[in-house]
Amino acid sequence: TWSHRDLTRLSEREIVTEIRQNEQFLTNTYGSGGRPFLRPPYGTHNRRVDRTLAALGYPAVTMWWGSLADSTPEPSAQIVANAEKWILPQRLVIGHANHPGVLSVMDQIVDIIRERNLQPVHLADIFDLSQLPAVPPLPTGTPTATAASTITPSTCSSTSPTRSRTPTAHPT
């Protein structure tokens, strides 16, 4: 999302604005967006949020298992310590790759990944996306309800990318 607000506390219109602004940033900055995956801020979501996200092309609400804990300014040493703690096989670790604290230690984070012989992968490399609804183009109008799935790290492998795993539904 754009401003990391709790989606369960936002109106549908506010959710759409958050998602569109973030999608535009990702596309303009990195050449692609995150669809069909979306990590809800704080891990909070409900059926209404899931339906809205799915209608925007994010049917795979994705949870994590580890964090750089960098959502607020943190000392570089703490970010590296969090990376050392959480960057392990079969973990989906979150961080903010646009924060100065993370950017200042990115080389150290890459070293941790290399020292552990880990291979960063795209979520699409490890999940069977054929079971998700087709991802529509980003709409310009108000979203309509469609099915959504939640992906949890228990179905994730960061060391052996395959397409044999399927997203698991997470009750909301």
Side-chain angles (χ1 to χ4, degrees):
T1 63
W2 181 250
S3 63
H4 209 69
R5 295 167 67 193
D6 181 343
L7 299 179
T8 63
R9 297 176 182 261
L10 301 181
S11 70
E12 187 170 327
R13 182 180 305 257
E14 289 171 312
I15 293 170
V16 170
T17 299
E18 284 284 318
I19 301 309
R20 286 188 181 150
Q21 194 169 359
N22 195 61
E23 181 78 15
Q24 184 176 22
F25 169 79
L26 291 172
T27 302
N28 292 344
T29 305
Y30 300 109
S32 69
R35 293 191 296 150
F37 305 101
L38 186 129
R39 175 193 64 84
Y42 318 105
T44 59
H45 61 105
N46 56 31
R47 287 186 181 118
R48 181 183 65 85
V49 168
D50 289 352
R51 283 191 304 269
T52 303
L53 295 176
L56 290 168
Y58 293 91
V61 173
T62 307
M63 304 308 275
W64 61 96
W65 189 14
S67 174
L68 299 180
D70 62 335
S71 61
T72 59
E74 294 292 332
S76 298
Q78 184 60 51
I79 293 171
V80 172
N82 292 335
E84 288 173 344
K85 175 182 178 180
W86 291 110
I87 296 177
L88 298 167
Q90 300 185 4
R91 296 284 176 96
L92 190 109
V93 179
I94 61 171
H96 297 83
N98 59 341
H99 284 195
V102 174
L103 295 175
S104 70
V105 296
M106 190 58 74
D107 288 342
Q108 293 172 62
I109 293 171
V110 169
D111 288 344
I112 292 167
I113 293 168
R114 287 184 179 146
E115 289 166 4
R116 295 176 180 182
N117 295 315
L118 299 174
Q119 168 88 31
V121 296
H122 188 281
L123 291 173
D125 293 332
I126 56 175
F127 292 111
D128 179 3
L129 301 182
S130 67
Q131 295 190 18
L132 292 176
V135 177
L138 195 59
T140 56
T142 302
T144 57
T146 61
S149 297
T150 298
I151 293 178
T152 61
S154 63
T155 62
C156 172
S157 169
S158 62
T159 57
S160 58
T162 66
R163 290 186 165 253
S164 63
R165 302 191 182 206
T166 56
T168 57
H170 179 71
T172 54

